[in-house]
Amino acid sequence: MWSSARQIAADVRARRASAVDICREALRRINVADPPLHAFLETTESHALARAAAVDAAVAAGQPVGPLAGVPMALKDNICTRFSRTTAGSKILAQHRSPFDATVVQRIEAAGAVVVGKTNLDEFAMGSSTENSAFGPTRNPWDLERVPGGSSGGSAAAVAAGIVPLALGSDTGGSIRQPASFTGVVGLKPTYGRVSRYGLIAYGSSLDQIGPLATSVADAALLLSVIAGHDRHDSTSVDGEPIALTADTPPDVAGLRIGLPRQYFGDGLDEEVRAAVMAAVELLSQLGAQVVEVDLPHSQQNIAVYYVIAMAEASSNLARYDGVHYGHRSAAAADIFELYARSRSEALGAEVKRRIMLGTFALSSGYYDAYYLTALKARRLIQRDFTAALARCDLIACPAAPTPAFRFGEKSDDPLAMYLADVYTIAANLAGIPGLVAPCGFSRQGLPIGLQLLAAPFAENTLLRVMRAYEANTDWWARRPPHGVA
Amino acid sequence: MSHVLIDEAQVHRIARLARLDLHEGEAGQLSVQLSHIVEYFQQLNALPTAQVEPLAHPLPIINVLRDDQPADSLPVASVLANAPQHVSGFFRVPRVLDQAGGA
């Protein structure tokens, strides 16, 4: 088990530990623990060892090193890196090497982080189980017969298994928070605009955010503080209030108002999940928080609104995969139309094609108003619901997913059943608000259950403070999965 | 089972717009799957959205101005490194003009 990322960086800075030794240990853990899990698509050994040596050299020379000095990290493979392939889990980018690093990669490396590998995902981040990866699924370290969630399933499994202490994922409709819930780790989707999307392979551009997966709330806060802030390469990125969380003193939550949305505790919610989330709310109430009931009246439409918008944006974003500039090109094309159509069809997976088709349909002449425009209007209704609810409370508490991790194949033949599993996470992306998930219990079968907290735009500090208070008063963190590093 | 909201002709029309090639039997399968999902989407019509402004972007965004400072672009070689085919610094594609040189 790793000590915290914060502790690793402190040890490296004080020369109590060497970044190279820590890097070698992380690489060893990939070799030992990853084969049954398949969390990693690529290990970046030579790059990582060179970065770690540079951190050690800087420390030895008395030069300043950053807050992630020597911390081994994994990156979801839809985040562009020059030092490895970036595949997005797709055959169409199977050999793709980005000519640039994503802004988040530049920032974590400037802060001293050592990237040891790229992690598995549903193709182009489209999925909730990692079963849609063109390179085979990732397995859940708590039960190899079950999915780790998705689409950031590889990053979540790598952290849960103790291979790395910290990873980056991306969240378009829950793709950080749902796998965090399924694997028992901390996952944070920042406010839309908090983190630069430059170098994140686009899925739904008005929904996508990059965020941390960690083993503790303080480590998630530390990583967010490194990656957050305006970037001139992403005009939607902004400087919010700085992320501030002291790891040592558990924060005081007395007087904070926690809203429980009645629509998030209705039909379809697993009884064990409900009990674990309600027990967490009860604990926060004992710590002095005030619990109020709130209303999110348009919740019923969340999934339809989200999927129409996400698919429309995806169909537009994925038009760039045309066999011309990069990626797979069909060998059997006689003209330019065939080149586009065959290159795409030969190398894109079934779910990606379905979403491109539905998105194209929703944007096509004659259907645009009925589907896309109506979904955008409904999106405003959903955002208004949150604005009104968050005027009555400081944050919202709810489940992250309706059930614990499901079995392979359970939903993969029924696209709509898979979409319905995102019911509690997608509204945060539609409204642009931050969401934080951390473990709040286990099912009788020993599967982790996550608590989700949501707050107003740029109120990440409130989420972190309350979750830190919860974490300090529970010990779910101490449990280790059976299929991880001993 | 859903009624056919998206028939096979419609599937072919969408595939053409999306620049996708369907293999044998795929249109029939997609007709069933897409109809099922689109039927679910139709619940949007029940919402009172007539008086609501569409929301395309979650946060208020304003146009951003900055100084026009020259900066290096990516080197041509690194941009072409991923190209399936390139020639003389250009991406190479099948002929898009007819033999006579007209469009």
Side-chain angles (χ1 to χ4, degrees):
Chain A
M1 191 49 202
W2 293 106
S3 49
S4 69
R6 210 172 272 260
Q7 187 62 49
I8 291 170
D11 288 346
V12 167
R13 279 198 300 269
R15 300 183 73 173
R16 286 188 297 267
S18 121
V20 168
D21 289 347
I22 292 165
C23 178
R24 286 192 200 286
E25 171 60 14
L27 294 166
R28 185 193 71 82
R29 291 183 183 202
I30 294 175
N31 282 331
V32 171
D34 194 53
L37 300 175
H38 192 233
F40 285 83
L41 292 177
E42 184 171 353
T43 307
T44 53
E45 180 166 344
S46 58
H47 176 78
L49 287 167
R51 294 297 308 177
V55 169
D56 283 339
V59 173
Q63 290 162 359
V65 289
L68 296 175
V71 175
M73 280 186 61
L75 304 180
K76 186 176 182 179
D77 205 25
N78 59 353
I79 297 172
C80 288
T81 48
R82 280 184 299 178
F83 51 80
S84 70
R85 290 187 295 273
T86 300
T87 68
S90 181
K91 254 167 59 181
I92 208 161
L93 292 177
Q95 300 304 325
H96 183 67
R97 293 189 84 90
S98 172
F100 65 96
D101 285 329
T103 296
V104 292
V105 175
Q106 294 173 28
R107 290 193 180 174
I108 61 168
E109 290 203 330
V114 173
V115 177
V116 295
K118 304 290 292 286
T119 55
N120 200 13
L121 68 158
D122 288 293
E123 184 176 1
F124 286 105
M126 297 180 190
S128 311
S129 67
T130 324
E131 289 167 289
N132 292 336
S133 169
F135 308 111
T138 296
R139 294 178 181 276
N140 192 319
W142 291 93
D143 180 347
L144 297 179
E145 299 305 308
R146 290 176 189 269
V147 304
S151 63
S152 312
S155 283
V159 172
I163 296 173
V164 286
L166 216 47
L168 284 176
S170 67
D171 189 314
T172 304
S175 282
I176 290 172
R177 291 162 289 153
Q178 182 252 25
S181 178
F182 280 12
T183 61
V185 300
V186 178
L188 172 60
K189 183 202 89 76
T191 305
Y192 183 83
R194 184 59 108 155
V195 177
S196 169
R197 292 177 292 112
Y198 181 68
L200 172 67
I201 292 180
Y203 162 19
S205 299
S206 78
L207 306 157
D208 297 338
Q209 270 289 287
I210 296 171
L213 289 136
T215 56
S216 70
V217 176
D219 277 357
L222 174 68
L223 180 50
L224 180 61
S225 71
V226 169
I227 60 174
H230 175 69
D231 170 21
R232 68 184 184 88
H233 289 118
D234 177 0
S235 60
T236 64
S237 67
V238 290
D239 287 317
E241 188 154 313
I243 300 301
L245 184 84
T246 321
D248 311 323
T249 349
D252 186 9
V253 298
L256 274 176
R257 289 163 307 164
I258 298 178
L260 289 186
R262 73 190 92 224
Q263 289 84 358
Y264 279 49
F265 292 88
D267 288 347
L269 177 60
D270 177 270
E271 277 311 318
E272 288 186 285
V273 175
R274 181 200 309 272
V277 171
M278 291 311 293
V281 170
E282 173 59 28
L283 175 59
L284 288 169
S285 147
Q286 285 166 17
L287 295 172
Q290 197 186 325
V291 178
V292 297
E293 205 167 272
V294 295
D295 211 16
L296 296 169
H298 298 96
S299 299
Q300 183 92 49
Q301 276 76 34
N302 282 351
I303 290 170
V305 173
Y306 170 81
Y307 275 97
V308 169
I309 291 171
M311 289 170 175
E313 294 187 8
S315 73
S316 172
N317 274 325
L318 271 66
R320 72 190 68 180
Y321 303 103
D322 57 6
V324 174
H325 301 94
Y326 51 85
H328 171 77
R329 171 181 288 200
S330 173
D335 60 33
I336 192 77
F337 185 92
E338 278 192 5
L339 177 76
Y340 297 152
R342 291 200 177 161
S343 299
R344 291 160 67 73
S345 300
E346 286 169 9
L348 294 173
E351 179 60 22
V352 171
K353 284 190 223 175
R354 263 196 298 274
R355 293 194 191 192
I356 289 174
M357 292 281 288
L358 284 164
T360 301
F361 169 73
L363 291 172
S364 68
S365 173
Y367 301 94
Y368 182 95
D369 286 3
Y371 293 96
Y372 183 62
L373 195 63
T374 304
L376 291 186
K377 291 176 173 182
R379 183 177 189 178
R380 186 175 297 279
L381 296 176
I382 289 166
Q383 190 184 51
R384 280 184 193 157
D385 285 355
F386 277 92
T387 306
L390 287 164
R392 296 194 55 234
C393 60
D394 298 293
L395 74 166
I396 287 169
C398 59
T403 63
F406 47 85
R407 290 178 187 280
F408 287 99
E410 203 175 310
K411 300 177 195 289
S412 53
D413 292 336
D414 183 351
L416 192 55
M418 189 72 90
Y419 304 165
L420 297 174
D422 300 340
V423 62
Y424 301 129
T425 46
I426 52 187
N429 304 76
L430 291 169
I433 61 175
L436 175 63
V437 167
C440 69
F442 286 82
S443 71
R444 280 185 297 274
Q445 289 177 298
L447 301 168
I449 296 170
L451 166 69
Q452 178 174 228
L453 302 178
L454 304 168
F458 300 102
E460 281 89 347
N461 283 323
T462 306
L463 297 180
L464 292 163
R465 196 151 68 91
V466 173
M467 199 66 97
R468 175 73 189 110
Y470 177 74
E471 174 188 59
N473 286 280
T474 54
D475 60 359
W476 309 115
W477 333 93
R479 289 210 204 175
R480 305 303 313 146
H483 305 281
V485 176
Chain B
M1 199 60 239
S2 354
H3 44 286
V4 183
L5 285 163
I6 300 193
D7 61 20
E8 288 193 33
Q10 178 82 307
V11 168
H12 283 293
R13 185 188 74 95
I14 300 167
R16 188 169 172 80
L17 287 173
R19 301 294 185 268
L20 289 170
D21 216 18
L22 302 179
H23 58 69
E24 193 68 31
E26 200 174 5
Q29 194 190 353
L30 278 168
S31 166
V32 174
Q33 287 179 341
L34 303 192
S35 295
H36 184 47
I37 297 167
V38 167
E39 183 180 31
Y40 181 82
F41 288 166
Q42 288 188 333
Q43 63 177 284
L44 292 176
N45 299 326
L47 287 172
T49 52
Q51 304 302 318
V52 183
E53 277 291 299
L55 178 70
H57 193 274
L59 300 175
I61 42 174
I62 47 162
N63 207 5
V64 182
L65 298 176
R66 61 168 171 78
D67 292 337
D68 186 18
Q69 290 163 331
D72 290 338
S73 305
L74 290 170
V76 171
S78 77
V79 173
L80 291 174
N82 285 300
Q85 281 187 50
H86 60 94
V87 58
S88 313
F90 296 97
F91 296 101
R92 183 171 195 168
V93 295
R95 181 179 294 276
V96 290
L97 304 176
D98 67 28
Q99 298 291 339

